[in-house]
Amino acid sequence: DTLSRVVFTGGASIFSFDTISSSSSILSSASVIEHNGVYYWASNGGFLMFNGVIKDIPNDYNNAWFYKNINPTYAQKMFATKMPLWSEIWWCFPKGTSTECDHAIIFNYRENTWYDTPLPGNGRSCGYYEQVFPYPLMTDAGANSSSLYSLWQHEYGLDEVSGVTPTTLAVKSNFRTHQINAITPSQNGPGVDQELSISIVEPDLTQVGDMTVRLFGAANAKMEPVQLGGDKTILDTTTGSQDELPSFTAATRLAQFEFESNTVGGDYQMGKVLVHVEPIDDRHTS
């Protein structure tokens, strides 16, 4: 409940103590990490940093989601690590009913933004950043097929390489966009409430390996989005205009697109992807 600064002074006292704050908290003793002289950690109500004074780290993205989903019984297993290559601080934690760290919440201090990701396999139990070795290391949270615990080298290459006889496997990367719509509510009479007819996606990707795009739709914000139509392939190398533009024949009120790379050696960077949509089916709102 207290953040103190301890200074070695020698003599009879040996150390001097300076209380920085007597109203702080910490979620896990392993959740503290330092980067460039700044200390970061997770408290019981938010993420904090110390660079001479204690400050909250603003998080309008997934702060409430994190505290709602962390397993409080096993919160002490939460640990912090960092990926300076990407300007990221990682907090790996047990999500939901998991008893091991199977998810990570990530702060990007360069972009001043937050995101999160599932952890591979059965999760990670501990990690160490690239200080002793050139790449960050993490340890599996569960035994592998040889009843041993794998030590993984992260942020190296594009694939998973594992096994007594090294086997190369794809690492799946996917994300889903926010919902797009043609809804304009109004307090002065009926607003605009129209479904979207979605036909074509124009990829703008620097990619290695084929990718997949999926369309999800929902009638309202309460409804769980469902996939509309099948998976569409975004080819690494196209043979002409006929396979350059994945097409859909679907209509929905709230639309989302999911992009996925799941091939050996797969990699991608996204530019400005265009989608052909047309408002249809006029409806009234109150």
Side-chain angles (χ1 to χ4, degrees):
D1 61 355
T2 300
L3 177 64
S4 300
R5 178 167 43 212
V6 183
V7 179
F8 176 74
T9 59
S13 61
I14 305 177
F15 292 99
S16 67
F17 297 85
D18 178 21
T19 299
I20 305 298
S21 173
S22 58
S23 59
S24 187
S25 65
I26 189 168
L27 193 59
S28 164
S29 60
S31 72
V32 185
I33 192 163
E34 178 270 340
H35 181 68
N36 289 343
V38 180
Y39 291 83
Y40 303 85
W41 73 95
S43 75
N44 289 322
F47 289 83
L48 302 174
M49 60 183 288
F50 176 76
N51 59 355
V53 294
I54 299 177
K55 293 182 179 179
D56 292 310
I57 307 175
N59 181 0
D60 295 329
Y61 297 92
N62 52 11
N63 192 75
W65 169 87
F66 167 76
Y67 284 97
K68 180 180 178 180
N69 283 281
I70 187 172
N71 186 338
T73 305
Y74 294 90
Q76 175 57 31
K77 289 191 175 183
M78 177 184 183
F79 67 92
T81 187
K82 60 182 178 179
M83 309 286 181
L85 177 64
W86 308 115
S87 305
E88 294 173 342
I89 305 293
W90 285 48
W91 285 275
C92 301
F93 68 97
K95 179 177 177 286
T97 58
S98 177
T99 61
E100 300 292 345
C101 296
D102 62 347
H103 222 88
I105 183 170
I106 303 165
F107 174 56
N108 188 308
Y109 50 82
R110 180 179 60 197
E111 303 293 338
N112 199 31
T113 192
W114 291 81
Y115 32 88
D116 52 82
T117 182
L119 293 172
N122 48 24
R124 298 291 186 258
S125 60
C126 62
Y128 196 76
Y129 51 91
E130 58 270 38
Q131 183 178 31
V132 177
F133 298 98
Y135 298 96
L137 303 176
M138 289 194 191
T139 304
D140 253 343
N144 57 28
S145 58
S146 301
S147 299
L148 300 173
Y149 288 82
S150 300
L151 177 65
W152 295 97
Q153 180 175 254
H154 281 250
E155 308 306 315
Y156 176 81
L158 299 170
D159 303 308
E160 175 188 323
V161 181
S162 61
V164 177
T165 301
T167 303
T168 301
L169 303 172
V171 174
K172 183 174 74 171
S173 171
N174 67 295
F175 70 93
R176 191 179 296 189
T177 68
H178 67 285
Q179 291 180 328
I180 61 174
N181 61 74
I183 302 171
T184 306
S186 173
Q187 294 183 359
N188 300 314
V192 177
D193 186 7
Q194 296 176 279
E195 286 194 327
L196 296 175
S197 173
I198 299 165
S199 55
I200 295 173
V201 175
E202 293 190 35
D204 180 16
L205 294 157
T206 300
Q207 67 185 92
V208 177
D210 293 348
M211 294 182 62
T212 300
V213 59
R214 304 180 182 94
L215 171 63
F216 289 83
N220 54 67
K222 190 73 173 177
M223 176 183 173
E224 184 69 24
V226 296
Q227 185 173 352
L228 304 176
D231 294 359
K232 308 297 180 179
T233 301
I234 304 174
L235 294 175
D236 181 2
T237 303
T238 62
T239 58
S241 59
Q242 70 276 4
D243 54 26
E244 291 176 349
L245 304 176
S247 61
F248 293 91
T249 304
T252 185
R253 189 165 176 259
L254 306 175
Q256 293 176 283
F257 292 89
E258 184 176 84
F259 294 86
E260 179 180 295
S261 171
N262 194 21
T263 60
V264 172
D267 190 24
Y268 64 95
Q269 294 184 27
M270 179 171 285
K272 190 173 184 179
V273 176
L274 302 179
V275 180
H276 293 228
V277 298
E278 180 181 1
I280 59 171
D281 184 25
D282 287 350
R283 293 181 295 173
H284 295 287
T285 59
S286 58

